[in-house]
Amino acid sequence: MTLHNTLAIHRKAAGLTQAQLAERVSVSRKTINTVENAVFIPSTVLALKLAQALGQPVEVLFSLEPPT
């Protein structure tokens, strides 16, 4: 299974830069970049912080692609 995310879409819709979102959730801008580009899978805590910071359910930001 593959983890997909819509983090960049929702971050941009909220009018935030990667740096601003990173500051809100106490991580680096590079961490936000690597999550958005699916290089890094966030911990449960980070995923929940991101969802809270963007005012979205975590399931809207992150989803699993079913196996083929």
Side-chain angles (χ1 to χ4, degrees):
M1 284 192 222
T2 303
L3 181 68
H4 291 279
N5 77 74
T6 58
L7 185 59
I9 293 166
H10 290 281
R11 173 184 58 76
K12 290 173 187 176
L16 297 171
T17 65
Q18 288 180 343
Q20 289 168 325
L21 180 57
E23 186 174 322
R24 288 186 182 193
V25 297
S26 301
V27 297
S28 69
R29 184 210 54 81
K30 184 175 180 178
T31 296
I32 298 299
N33 180 271
T34 59
V35 172
E36 287 184 355
N37 291 302
V39 173
F40 174 71
I41 298 173
S43 68
T44 303
V45 172
L46 178 54
L48 291 168
K49 285 181 177 183
L50 290 165
Q52 185 177 46
L54 293 171
Q56 297 290 330
V58 72
E59 298 87 2
V60 169
L61 299 179
F62 301 98
S63 62
L64 287 176
E65 178 182 297
T68 55

Coordinates of all heavy atoms in Angstrom, one line a residue:
M1 N 0.8 -1.2 0.0 CA 0.0 0.0 0.0 C 0.9 1.2 0.0 O 2.0 1.2 0.5 CB -0.9 0.0 1.2 CG -2.0 -0.9 1.2 SD -3.2 -0.6 2.5 CE -3.6 -2.2 3.0
T2 N 0.4 2.3 -0.6 CA 1.1 3.5 -0.7 C 0.3 4.6 0.1 O -0.9 4.7 -0.1 CB 1.2 4.0 -2.1 OG1 1.9 2.9 -2.8 CG2 2.1 5.2 -2.3
L3 N 1.0 5.4 0.8 CA 0.4 6.5 1.5 C 0.4 7.8 0.6 O 1.4 8.1 0.1 CB 1.2 6.9 2.8 CG 0.6 8.0 3.6 CD1 -0.7 7.6 4.2 CD2 1.6 8.5 4.7
H4 N -0.8 8.3 0.4 CA -1.0 9.5 -0.4 C -1.3 10.7 0.5 O -1.9 10.5 1.6 CB -2.1 9.3 -1.4 CG -1.7 8.3 -2.5 ND1 -0.9 8.6 -3.6 CD2 -2.0 7.0 -2.6 CE1 -0.8 7.6 -4.3 NE2 -1.5 6.6 -3.8
N5 N -0.9 11.9 0.1 CA -1.3 13.0 0.9 C -1.7 14.2 0.1 O -1.3 14.3 -1.1 CB -0.2 13.4 1.9 CG 1.0 14.1 1.3 OD1 0.9 15.3 1.0 ND2 2.1 13.4 1.1
T6 N -2.5 15.0 0.6 CA -3.0 16.3 0.0 C -2.5 17.5 0.8 O -3.1 18.5 0.8 CB -4.5 16.3 -0.1 OG1 -5.1 16.1 1.2 CG2 -5.0 15.1 -1.0
L7 N -1.4 17.3 1.5 CA -0.9 18.3 2.4 C -0.6 19.6 1.7 O -1.1 20.7 2.1 CB 0.4 17.8 3.1 CG 0.9 18.7 4.2 CD1 -0.1 19.0 5.3 CD2 2.2 18.1 4.7
A8 N 0.1 19.6 0.5 CA 0.4 20.8 -0.2 C -0.9 21.5 -0.6 O -0.9 22.7 -0.6 CB 1.3 20.5 -1.4
I9 N -1.8 20.8 -1.1 CA -3.1 21.4 -1.6 C -3.8 22.2 -0.4 O -4.2 23.3 -0.6 CB -4.0 20.3 -2.1 CG1 -3.5 19.7 -3.4 CG2 -5.5 20.9 -2.4 CD1 -4.1 18.4 -3.9
H10 N -3.9 21.5 0.7 CA -4.6 22.1 1.9 C -3.7 23.3 2.5 O -4.3 24.2 3.0 CB -5.0 21.1 2.9 CG -6.1 20.2 2.4 ND1 -7.4 20.6 2.4 CD2 -6.1 19.0 1.8 CE1 -8.1 19.7 1.8 NE2 -7.3 18.7 1.5
R11 N -2.4 23.1 2.5 CA -1.5 24.2 3.0 C -1.7 25.4 2.1 O -1.9 26.5 2.7 CB -0.1 23.7 3.0 CG 0.9 24.8 3.3 CD 2.4 24.3 3.2 NE 2.8 23.8 2.0 CZ 3.1 24.6 0.9 NH1 2.9 25.9 0.9 NH2 3.5 24.0 -0.2
K12 N -1.6 25.2 0.8 CA -1.8 26.4 -0.1 C -3.2 27.0 0.0 O -3.3 28.2 0.0 CB -1.5 26.0 -1.5 CG 0.0 25.6 -1.8 CD 0.2 25.0 -3.2 CE 1.6 24.5 -3.3 NZ 1.8 23.9 -4.6
A13 N -4.2 26.2 0.2 CA -5.6 26.7 0.3 C -5.7 27.5 1.6 O -6.5 28.5 1.7 CB -6.6 25.6 0.3
A14 N -4.9 27.2 2.6 CA -4.9 27.9 3.9 C -4.0 29.2 3.8 O -4.0 30.0 4.8 CB -4.4 27.0 5.0
G15 N -3.3 29.4 2.7 CA -2.5 30.5 2.5 C -1.2 30.5 3.3 O -0.7 31.5 3.6
L16 N -0.7 29.3 3.5 CA 0.5 29.1 4.3 C 1.7 28.7 3.4 O 1.5 27.9 2.5 CB 0.3 28.1 5.4 CG -0.7 28.4 6.5 CD1 -1.0 27.2 7.3 CD2 -0.3 29.6 7.3
T17 N 2.9 29.1 3.8 CA 4.1 28.6 3.1 C 4.5 27.4 3.9 O 4.0 27.1 5.0 CB 5.2 29.6 3.2 OG1 5.6 29.8 4.6 CG2 4.9 31.0 2.6
Q18 N 5.4 26.6 3.3 CA 6.0 25.5 4.0 C 6.6 25.9 5.4 O 6.4 25.2 6.4 CB 7.0 24.7 3.2 CG 6.4 24.0 2.0 CD 7.5 23.3 1.2 OE1 8.7 23.5 1.3 NE2 7.0 22.3 0.4
A19 N 7.3 27.0 5.4 CA 7.9 27.5 6.6 C 6.9 27.9 7.7 O 7.1 27.6 8.9 CB 8.8 28.7 6.3
Q20 N 5.8 28.5 7.3 CA 4.8 28.9 8.2 C 4.1 27.7 8.8 O 3.9 27.6 10.1 CB 3.7 29.8 7.6 CG 4.2 31.2 7.2 CD 3.3 31.9 6.3 OE1 2.7 31.4 5.4 NE2 3.3 33.2 6.5
L21 N 3.8 26.7 8.0 CA 3.2 25.4 8.5 C 4.2 24.7 9.4 O 3.8 24.2 10.5 CB 2.7 24.5 7.4 CG 2.1 23.2 7.8 CD1 0.9 23.4 8.7 CD2 1.7 22.4 6.6
A22 N 5.4 24.7 9.0 CA 6.4 24.0 9.9 C 6.5 24.7 11.2 O 6.6 24.0 12.2 CB 7.8 24.1 9.1
E23 N 6.5 26.0 11.3 CA 6.5 26.7 12.6 C 5.3 26.3 13.4 O 5.5 26.1 14.6 CB 6.6 28.2 12.3 CG 6.8 29.0 13.6 CD 7.0 30.5 13.3 OE1 7.6 30.8 12.3 OE2 6.5 31.3 14.1
R24 N 4.2 26.2 12.8 CA 3.0 25.9 13.6 C 3.0 24.5 14.2 O 2.4 24.3 15.3 CB 1.7 26.0 12.7 CG 1.3 27.4 12.3 CD 0.0 27.4 11.6 NE -0.3 28.8 11.2 CZ -1.5 29.2 10.8 NH1 -2.5 28.3 10.7 NH2 -1.7 30.4 10.5
V25 N 3.7 23.6 13.6 CA 3.8 22.2 14.1 C 5.1 21.9 14.7 O 5.4 20.7 15.0 CB 3.3 21.2 13.1 CG1 1.8 21.4 12.7 CG2 4.2 21.2 11.8
S26 N 6.0 22.8 14.8 CA 7.3 22.7 15.4 C 8.2 21.7 14.7 O 8.8 20.8 15.4 CB 7.2 22.3 16.9 OG 6.4 23.3 17.6
V27 N 8.3 21.8 13.4 CA 9.2 21.0 12.6 C 9.9 21.9 11.7 O 9.6 23.1 11.6 CB 8.6 19.8 11.9 CG1 7.9 18.8 12.8 CG2 7.6 20.3 10.8
S28 N 10.9 21.4 10.9 CA 11.6 22.2 9.9 C 10.8 22.3 8.6 O 9.9 21.5 8.3 CB 13.0 21.6 9.6 OG 12.8 20.4 8.9
R29 N 11.1 23.3 7.8 CA 10.5 23.5 6.5 C 10.8 22.3 5.7 O 10.0 21.8 4.9 CB 11.0 24.8 5.8 CG 10.2 25.0 4.5 CD 11.1 25.8 3.5 NE 12.4 25.2 3.2 CZ 12.6 24.1 2.4 NH1 11.6 23.6 1.7 NH2 13.8 23.7 2.2
K30 N 12.0 21.7 5.8 CA 12.4 20.6 5.0 C 11.5 19.4 5.4 O 11.2 18.6 4.5 CB 13.9 20.2 5.3 CG 14.4 19.1 4.4 CD 15.9 18.9 4.6 CE 16.3 17.7 3.8 NZ 17.8 17.5 3.8
T31 N 11.1 19.2 6.6 CA 10.3 18.1 7.0 C 8.9 18.2 6.2 O 8.4 17.3 5.7 CB 10.0 18.1 8.5 OG1 11.3 17.8 9.1 CG2 9.0 17.0 8.9
I32 N 8.4 19.4 6.2 CA 7.1 19.7 5.5 C 7.3 19.3 4.0 O 6.5 18.6 3.4 CB 6.6 21.1 5.7 CG1 6.3 21.4 7.1 CG2 5.4 21.4 4.8 CD1 5.3 20.6 7.8
N33 N 8.4 19.8 3.4 CA 8.7 19.5 2.0 C 8.8 18.0 1.8 O 8.2 17.5 0.8 CB 10.0 20.2 1.6 CG 10.3 19.9 0.2 OD1 11.0 18.9 -0.1 ND2 9.8 20.8 -0.7
T34 N 9.4 17.2 2.6 CA 9.6 15.8 2.4 C 8.3 15.0 2.6 O 8.0 14.1 1.9 CB 10.7 15.2 3.3 OG1 10.4 15.4 4.7 CG2 12.1 15.8 2.9
V35 N 7.4 15.5 3.5 CA 6.1 14.9 3.7 C 5.3 15.2 2.4 O 4.7 14.3 1.9 CB 5.4 15.4 4.9 CG1 4.0 14.9 5.0 CG2 6.1 15.0 6.2
E36 N 5.3 16.4 2.0 CA 4.5 16.8 0.8 C 4.9 16.0 -0.5 O 4.1 15.7 -1.3 CB 4.6 18.3 0.5 CG 3.8 19.2 1.4 CD 3.9 20.6 1.1 OE1 4.6 21.0 0.2 OE2 3.2 21.4 1.8
N37 N 6.2 15.7 -0.6 CA 6.7 15.0 -1.7 C 6.8 13.4 -1.5 O 7.4 12.7 -2.3 CB 8.1 15.5 -2.1 CG 8.0 16.9 -2.7 OD1 7.3 17.1 -3.7 ND2 8.6 17.9 -2.0
A38 N 6.1 13.0 -0.4 CA 6.1 11.5 -0.1 C 7.4 10.9 0.0 O 7.6 9.7 -0.2 CB 5.2 10.8 -1.1
V39 N 8.4 11.6 0.5 CA 9.7 11.1 0.8 C 9.8 10.6 2.2 O 10.4 9.6 2.5 CB 10.8 12.2 0.5 CG1 12.2 11.7 1.0 CG2 10.8 12.6 -0.9
F40 N 9.0 11.2 3.1 CA 9.0 11.0 4.5 C 7.5 10.7 4.9 O 6.6 11.5 4.6 CB 9.6 12.1 5.3 CG 9.5 12.1 6.8 CD1 10.2 11.2 7.5 CD2 8.6 12.9 7.5 CE1 10.2 11.1 8.8 CE2 8.5 12.8 8.8 CZ 9.3 11.9 9.5
I41 N 7.3 9.6 5.6 CA 6.0 9.3 6.2 C 5.9 9.9 7.6 O 6.7 9.5 8.4 CB 5.7 7.8 6.1 CG1 5.6 7.3 4.7 CG2 4.3 7.5 6.9 CD1 5.5 5.8 4.6
P42 N 5.0 10.8 7.9 CA 5.0 11.4 9.2 C 4.5 10.5 10.3 O 3.8 9.5 10.0 CB 4.0 12.6 9.0 CG 3.1 12.1 8.0 CD 3.9 11.3 7.0
S43 N 5.0 10.7 11.5 CA 4.5 10.0 12.6 C 3.0 10.3 12.8 O 2.5 11.3 12.3 CB 5.3 10.3 13.9 OG 5.0 11.7 14.2
T44 N 2.3 9.5 13.6 CA 0.9 9.7 13.9 C 0.8 11.1 14.6 O -0.1 11.9 14.2 CB 0.4 8.6 14.9 OG1 0.6 7.4 14.2 CG2 -1.1 8.8 15.2
V45 N 1.7 11.4 15.5 CA 1.6 12.7 16.2 C 1.8 13.9 15.2 O 1.0 14.8 15.2 CB 2.7 12.8 17.3 CG1 2.7 14.2 17.9 CG2 2.4 11.8 18.4
L46 N 2.7 13.8 14.3 CA 2.9 14.8 13.3 C 1.7 14.9 12.4 O 1.3 16.0 12.1 CB 4.2 14.6 12.5 CG 4.5 15.7 11.4 CD1 4.5 17.1 12.0 CD2 5.8 15.4 10.8
A47 N 1.2 13.8 11.9 CA 0.0 13.8 11.0 C -1.2 14.5 11.7 O -1.9 15.3 11.1 CB -0.3 12.4 10.6
L48 N -1.3 14.2 13.0 CA -2.4 14.9 13.8 C -2.2 16.3 14.0 O -3.1 17.2 13.9 CB -2.6 14.1 15.1 CG -3.2 12.7 15.0 CD1 -3.1 12.0 16.3 CD2 -4.6 12.8 14.5
K49 N -0.9 16.7 14.2 CA -0.6 18.2 14.4 C -0.9 18.9 13.0 O -1.4 20.0 13.0 CB 0.8 18.3 14.8 CG 1.1 18.0 16.2 CD 2.6 18.3 16.5 CE 3.0 18.1 18.0 NZ 4.4 18.4 18.2
L50 N -0.5 18.3 11.9 CA -0.7 18.9 10.6 C -2.2 19.1 10.4 O -2.6 20.2 9.9 CB 0.0 18.1 9.5 CG 1.5 18.1 9.5 CD1 2.0 17.0 8.6 CD2 2.0 19.4 9.1
A51 N -3.0 18.1 10.7 CA -4.4 18.1 10.5 C -5.0 19.2 11.3 O -5.8 20.0 10.8 CB -5.0 16.8 10.8
Q52 N -4.6 19.3 12.6 CA -5.1 20.3 13.5 C -4.7 21.7 13.0 O -5.5 22.7 13.0 CB -4.6 20.1 14.9 CG -5.1 21.1 15.9 CD -4.6 20.7 17.3 OE1 -3.4 20.5 17.5 NE2 -5.5 20.7 18.3
A53 N -3.5 21.9 12.5 CA -3.0 23.2 12.1 C -3.7 23.7 10.8 O -3.9 24.9 10.6 CB -1.5 23.1 11.8
L54 N -4.2 22.7 10.0 CA -4.9 23.1 8.8 C -6.4 23.0 8.9 O -7.1 23.2 8.0 CB -4.4 22.2 7.6 CG -3.0 22.4 7.2 CD1 -2.5 21.3 6.2 CD2 -2.8 23.8 6.7
G55 N -6.9 22.6 10.1 CA -8.3 22.5 10.3 C -9.0 21.5 9.5 O -10.1 21.6 9.1
Q56 N -8.3 20.4 9.3 CA -8.8 19.3 8.5 C -8.7 18.0 9.2 O -7.8 17.8 10.0 CB -8.0 19.1 7.2 CG -8.1 20.3 6.2 CD -9.4 20.4 5.6 OE1 -10.1 19.5 5.4 NE2 -9.8 21.7 5.3
P57 N -9.7 17.0 9.0 CA -9.5 15.7 9.5 C -8.2 15.0 9.0 O -7.9 15.3 7.8 CB -10.7 14.9 9.1 CG -11.7 16.0 8.7 CD -10.9 17.1 8.2
V58 N -7.5 14.3 9.7 CA -6.3 13.6 9.3 C -6.6 12.8 8.0 O -5.7 12.7 7.1 CB -5.6 12.8 10.4 CG1 -6.4 11.6 10.8 CG2 -4.2 12.5 10.1
E59 N -7.8 12.2 7.9 CA -8.1 11.3 6.8 C -8.2 12.1 5.5 O -8.2 11.6 4.4 CB -9.5 10.6 7.0 CG -9.5 9.7 8.2 CD -9.8 10.4 9.5 OE1 -10.1 11.6 9.5 OE2 -9.8 9.7 10.5
V60 N -8.4 13.4 5.6 CA -8.5 14.3 4.4 C -7.1 14.5 3.9 O -6.8 14.6 2.7 CB -9.2 15.6 4.7 CG1 -9.0 16.6 3.6 CG2 -10.7 15.4 5.0
L61 N -6.1 14.7 4.8 CA -4.7 14.9 4.4 C -4.0 13.7 4.0 O -3.1 13.7 3.1 CB -4.0 15.6 5.6 CG -4.5 16.9 6.1 CD1 -3.7 17.4 7.2 CD2 -4.6 17.9 4.9
F62 N -4.3 12.5 4.6 CA -3.5 11.3 4.3 C -4.5 10.2 4.1 O -5.5 10.0 4.8 CB -2.6 11.0 5.6 CG -1.7 12.0 5.9 CD1 -1.9 13.0 6.9 CD2 -0.5 12.1 5.2 CE1 -1.0 14.0 7.2 CE2 0.5 13.1 5.5 CZ 0.2 14.1 6.5
S63 N -4.2 9.4 3.1 CA -5.0 8.2 2.8 C -4.1 7.1 2.2 O -3.0 7.3 1.6 CB -6.1 8.5 1.8 OG -5.5 9.0 0.5
L64 N -4.6 5.9 2.3 CA -3.9 4.7 1.8 C -4.5 4.3 0.5 O -5.7 4.3 0.3 CB -4.0 3.5 2.7 CG -3.2 3.6 4.0 CD1 -3.5 2.3 4.9 CD2 -1.7 3.6 3.7
E65 N -3.6 4.0 -0.5 CA -4.1 3.5 -1.8 C -4.3 2.0 -1.6 O -3.4 1.3 -1.1 CB -3.0 3.7 -2.8 CG -3.4 3.1 -4.2 CD -2.3 3.4 -5.2 OE1 -2.0 4.5 -5.5 OE2 -1.7 2.3 -5.6
P66 N -5.4 1.5 -1.9 CA -5.7 0.1 -1.7 C -4.7 -0.8 -2.6 O -4.3 -0.3 -3.6 CB -7.1 -0.2 -2.1 CG -7.6 1.1 -2.7 CD -6.6 2.2 -2.5
P67 N -4.4 -2.0 -2.1 CA -3.5 -2.8 -2.9 C -4.2 -3.2 -4.2 O -5.4 -3.4 -4.3 CB -3.3 -4.0 -2.0 CG -4.3 -4.0 -1.0 CD -4.8 -2.6 -0.9
T68 N -3.4 -3.4 -5.2 CA -4.0 -3.8 -6.6 C -3.9 -5.3 -6.8 O -3.2 -6.0 -6.2 CB -3.2 -3.1 -7.7 OG1 -1.8 -3.4 -7.6 CG2 -3.4 -1.6 -7.7

